[in-house]
Amino acid sequence: NFTMPAYNDLVITPHYTDAVTAEDGLYVNMPRKNTYAAPKMVNFPDGVSSFKVYDHAGPTAVYGLLCDGYMILSAPENKKILLTGTVMTERGCDYLEIYDGNTTETLIGSYGNYHYVSPGTYEGQDIGEVRSSGQYLLLHFVSDGYGNYDGINIKAELVTDPNLPTAFSGFT
């Protein structure tokens, strides 16, 4: 473990894995707080086709109060990103914004809610299929100072751009 001297609450613990997909357990967490000017950049490494994206608390805990974190997902050249999954947040107060590209210019959608299923059972808002038009998607997660829930549970997957030309097998 390494503790960043200027930040007593930041501990970096490397974890090495052979996981190459979300189904193998590969995931990243949103930062709890950072600025738009310094977002967390997540590149799809070679050989990785998908991973899960969770809020800063990860897959097994509820997110904290007063979150304001930015993360950019970056696909390799000639690939795009497909997001699917759910966002369970405090109604009307906490949300995940997804932007097309690596800026906040093109908002695809704002997600966050929960649905009552049965006594004691709730489920998050389904985001459907969110696709990038290019190599990047920017995620921005915000929570206020009151309630918190399970948060973000999204799968990020690489997809081939259907508009790219295919290789020629020969010329006639």
Side-chain angles (χ1 to χ4, degrees), residues 19-54:
V20 293
T21 67
E23 292 76 18
D24 293 330
L26 190 60
Y27 69 91
V28 297
N29 291 343
M30 288 281 303
R32 182 172 184 163
K33 283 191 176 199
N34 62 354
T35 64
Y36 170 69
K40 178 178 184 176
M41 179 69 85
V42 177
N43 298 304
F44 275 84
D46 286 340
V48 171
S49 60
S50 66
F51 53 80
K52 297 287 271 189
V53 177
Y54 298 108

Side-chain angles (χ1 to χ4, degrees), residues 7-145:
Y7 301 95
N8 293 333
D9 64 343
L10 177 64
V11 177
I12 299 172
T13 305
H15 295 277
Y16 301 98
T17 179
D18 292 329
V20 293
T21 67
E23 292 76 18
D24 293 330
L26 190 60
Y27 69 91
V28 297
N29 291 343
M30 288 281 303
R32 182 172 184 163
K33 283 191 176 199
N34 62 354
T35 64
Y36 170 69
K40 178 178 184 176
M41 179 69 85
V42 177
N43 298 304
F44 275 84
D46 286 340
V48 171
S49 60
S50 66
F51 53 80
K52 297 287 271 189
V53 177
Y54 298 108
D55 53 79
H56 71 93
T60 59
V62 298
Y63 60 85
L65 304 177
L66 302 174
C67 295
D68 189 13
Y70 292 86
M71 183 165 69
I72 295 174
L73 301 179
S74 175
E77 262 189 69
N78 303 326
K79 296 283 186 179
K80 293 185 179 183
I81 302 167
L82 169 66
L83 298 181
T84 55
T86 60
V87 179
M88 183 186 289
T89 64
E90 180 186 15
R91 288 185 188 196
C93 299
D94 305 343
Y95 54 89
L96 173 69
E97 295 174 325
I98 302 175
Y99 295 88
D100 192 22
N102 57 2
T103 69
T104 57
E105 290 179 21
T106 307
L107 179 65
I108 295 174
S110 183
Y111 308 92
N113 215 334
Y114 64 86
H115 305 285
Y116 173 80
V117 177
S118 62
T121 304
Y122 300 89
E123 62 183 28
Q125 177 186 6
D126 190 333
I127 68 167
E129 290 190 351
V130 176
R131 295 176 185 271
S132 65
S133 67
Q135 287 180 255
Y136 303 101
L137 286 175
L138 184 142
L139 309 179
H140 178 214
F141 184 62
V142 175
S143 71
D144 66 5

